Amino acid sequence: MSKLLLGIIGPEDLVEKILNQFRHEKMEYIEYKLFIIKKVENTREIDRSFLAKCDILFFAGQMIYEIYLENPVNIDDETGPISINIGYDGSALYKSLYELAMETKGILTLFTPFTIDVLKENEVLNSLKEVDLHMEDFITIDGPSTYTTKDWANIHERYYKKGDSVYAVTCLTSVAEELVNRGVPVKRVVPTHSSINVALEMVYAQSDILIKNQLLTTAFLIKWKETDRRPKNRYNFYRQKLKFEEIIIDFCEKHNVSLTFSNEYQANLYTNMFIAKEFTNNFTSFSLTKEIEDKTGNKVFIGIGIGNETSNAEISAEKSLKFAESKNKSCAFVSFQNGDISGPLLTENQVPLTFSTSFDNELLKEISKKTNLSAVTISRLIFLLQQNNEENLTIHQLAEAFDVSLKSASRLLKQLEVTGFAKIIGKEQPPGRGRPRKIYKLMIPNSLF
């Protein structure tokens, strides 16, 4: 299987420390990419397309982590890479202050009072107790994540030149370098060996979870149906069957997928979720559907299921196959472990609708009962509204999203209107010529979103 990608972001020396503390037996399925930060403000300049390719992002610095969290990477409106940060805890500050005390031979007045950035006052106080320092011995510098290296350095320098401090303590590598250049005595706080190890253990734990999820069994039940209703010619049937089998075999060979034929009309494919995501574009489209239909001239229905073992994946795939067959046209649906079903998987330009098949919500049941529409239909409507990020809908939009006729879409919206869950709020003129289209506002309670 392909390896996970770990993005390591931080100053060069801290990144080097992280690499030196890797437990190599834990890195078998992990490869890494380095993002070296010269100055704290450079965090905003990292190519986000590279970050998006990472499974886990590992930050060697509190401030660069906070800058990232202001605008984290999200993929297709879903959660992006897992982010982990090395904490600059009290032990790191204690280590730095202890070193200063040793360098000054215990003469505390040679480095107190000092200014300190990033860390909170209570974190500083906890460390000071261990070296017999008090609140009057330090000045905390607080600033927004928009501060640049020069902004931080300016504040430290201002206190130093006014005589309010005799030393600067900073958690920011670029600020320490800037203050050295300005002639301000400075001590840099760096993460301890143990805090790096704690963060690395979190990386290993999250990697294990991601790898386990990638290895979940994914079953594909692919069923073809003859479209010619004339009396069957067995030779033509065998030709159609051979074409179907040849396409399936070629596909399985190309993607290294396990295969069985359960009967003359159905092929069962098995792989892991990582590989399945690759050839379904993360479960949004499946080109094999159209390929089979184009080459055989027959309808093809595909049910995809995910489970922690083959039998569970098959049960889920059978459920989604039923949805595909109910469309009576070539399509594919996927059933996830949480009970959600997504589909139909069409082209790369059209996002499939996701809907729940687990209906414990009493309000959803009540709306279903009042409208005489299935809970699945209501669930699909809710997802459509979320996807469009608005409450308004036309018959044409609903027909396209649900892959149904205009008549069916009109009947559905009319049913919602009659029962008080939709109302006509205006009309829009379609592109080109044509009659104005009614615009419906759906009034489904927000608590269901």
Side-chain angles (χ1 to χ4, degrees):
M1 62 172 287
S2 299
K3 292 186 176 183
L4 298 176
L5 183 57
L6 170 67
I8 305 175
I9 303 110
E12 190 170 5
D13 60 339
L14 291 187
V15 169
E16 189 64 31
K17 286 187 71 172
I18 292 169
L19 297 180
N20 290 337
Q21 289 183 224
F22 273 163
R23 287 170 55 191
H24 294 288
E25 73 275 10
K26 289 286 191 179
M27 299 295 293
E28 183 179 0
Y29 296 108
I30 305 173
E31 59 184 21
Y32 58 84
K33 180 175 177 59
L34 307 182
F35 301 89
I36 304 300
I37 303 296
K38 297 289 186 182
K39 294 185 177 181
V40 64
E41 58 267 27
N42 295 151
T43 308
R44 303 182 195 278
E45 300 170 9
I46 297 176
D47 189 336
R48 294 178 66 81
S49 65
F50 283 116
L51 295 182
K53 293 176 183 177
C54 296
D55 298 287
I56 301 174
L57 296 176
F58 191 23
F59 293 88
Q62 182 63 33
M63 189 52 62
I64 58 175
Y65 182 56
E66 289 181 12
I67 291 173
Y68 168 77
L69 288 181
E70 287 181 353
N71 186 25
V73 173
N74 292 319
I75 304 170
D76 298 329
D77 296 325
E78 296 180 3
T79 305
I82 295 168
S83 55
I84 295 171
N85 177 48
I86 300 174
Y88 279 68
D89 55 11
S91 59
L93 176 59
Y94 170 75
K95 179 174 177 290
S96 298
L97 294 177
Y98 179 80
E99 289 171 353
L100 274 176
M102 292 299 98
E103 291 167 11
T104 58
K105 298 181 180 180
I107 305 174
L108 302 184
T109 54
L110 292 180
F111 68 89
T112 62
F114 58 85
T115 49
I116 182 165
D117 55 36
V118 178
L119 293 177
K120 303 299 181 185
E121 187 175 278
N122 62 321
E123 294 174 316
V124 178
L125 280 172
N126 289 335
S127 298
L128 293 183
K129 292 175 184 177
E130 301 296 328
V131 288
D132 198 29
L133 294 174
H134 307 284
M135 195 165 181
E136 61 269 18
D137 294 319
F138 71 93
I139 303 166
T140 53
I141 296 175
D142 192 19
S145 60
T146 53
Y147 269 13
T148 65
T149 296
K150 288 187 176 180
D151 291 330
W152 289 106
N154 286 342
I155 301 174
H156 281 288
E157 186 182 34
R158 192 180 308 128
Y159 278 106
Y160 176 72
K161 287 187 172 180
K162 285 170 58 180
D164 294 332
S165 68
V166 299
Y167 230 93
V169 178
T170 179
C171 300
L172 304 170
T173 307
S174 58
V175 173
E177 294 170 351
E178 178 72 18
L179 289 172
V180 168
N181 293 334
R182 297 186 186 190
V184 178
V186 60
K187 185 71 175 179
R188 178 182 163 208
V189 181
V190 297
T192 61
H193 188 278
S194 61
S195 62
I196 293 175
N197 272 343
V198 167
L200 280 172
E201 289 300 324
M202 293 175 64
V203 170
Y204 304 143
Q206 291 295 337
S207 299
D208 288 342
I209 293 171
L210 290 174
I211 291 169
K212 184 178 178 181
N213 287 341
Q214 287 186 357
L215 295 177
L216 286 171
T217 301
T218 305
F220 291 74
L221 306 187
I222 303 177
K223 189 174 182 180
W224 68 283
K225 179 181 179 182
E226 292 176 281
T227 55
D228 193 344
R229 297 183 179 181
R230 293 172 296 178
K232 291 182 181 179
N233 179 314
R234 295 307 294 173
Y235 296 108
N236 285 337
F237 167 76
Y238 289 136
R239 290 188 185 98
Q240 297 294 319
K241 176 175 173 289
L242 287 172
K243 282 183 186 177
F244 171 73
E245 291 176 349
E246 183 180 9
I247 295 167
I248 294 294
I249 291 169
D250 287 346
F251 178 86
C252 292
E253 185 177 31
K254 177 181 177 180
H255 296 284
N256 195 26
V257 173
S258 300
L259 166 66
T260 62
F261 288 99
S262 58
N263 56 53
E264 293 178 322
Y265 293 95
Q266 184 171 314
N268 298 347
L269 282 56
Y270 304 93
T271 186
N272 61 54
M273 193 165 75
F274 180 81
I275 294 175
K277 280 185 171 183
E278 286 190 332
F279 58 69
T280 61
N281 193 26
N282 201 23
F283 297 118
T284 59
S285 61
F286 196 21
S287 59
L288 185 63
T289 312
K290 190 173 188 306
E291 182 182 354
I292 295 173
E293 184 179 42
D294 289 347
K295 291 183 177 180
T296 66
N298 294 315
K299 294 177 183 177
V300 58
F301 311 110
I302 302 177
I304 307 169
I306 301 165
N308 53 10
E309 56 185 41
T310 303
S311 59
N312 292 337
E314 286 176 332
I315 291 170
S316 294
E318 287 170 358
K319 185 194 299 184
S320 50
L321 179 61
K322 288 180 181 178
F323 276 93
E325 289 181 295
S326 70
K327 290 291 182 182
N328 198 31
K329 60 193 295 186
S330 296
C331 61
F333 281 76
V334 56
S335 178
F336 298 100
Q337 279 190 301
N338 62 359
D340 285 355
I341 289 181
S342 184
L345 311 189
L346 299 169
T347 66
E348 294 183 2
N349 299 322
Q350 189 170 348
V351 179
L353 288 179
T354 300
F355 50 95
S356 177
T357 56
S358 301
F359 303 111
D360 298 326
N361 190 299
E362 293 300 323
L363 182 54
L364 184 64
K365 292 178 183 177
E366 182 183 341
I367 295 174
S368 175
K369 185 176 180 180
K370 286 182 178 179
T371 60
N372 200 28
L373 297 171
S374 70
V376 168
T377 299
I378 302 298
S379 176
R380 293 179 73 192
L381 273 171
I382 291 168
F383 182 85
L384 179 59
L385 297 178
Q386 289 174 322
Q387 183 176 290
N388 292 345
N389 197 29
E390 62 173 309
E391 299 174 330
N392 302 338
L393 205 61
T394 67
I395 293 171
H396 284 74
Q397 287 173 326
L398 182 60
E400 182 180 1
F402 276 25
D403 195 26
V404 296
S405 67
L406 291 173
K407 186 176 180 180
S408 296
S410 176
R411 186 166 56 245
L412 192 156
L413 286 173
K414 188 66 178 176
Q415 188 69 14
L416 288 169
E417 182 188 7
V418 168
T419 52
F421 291 100
K423 67 178 181 180
I424 299 172
I425 60 170
K427 294 182 179 181
E428 69 173 14
Q429 185 64 42
R433 301 176 64 183
R435 297 175 61 186
R437 297 171 179 173
K438 295 176 182 177
I439 301 174
Y440 287 83
K441 179 179 180 180
L442 272 63
M443 298 179 290
I444 296 175
N446 291 334
S447 58
L448 285 174
F449 286 77

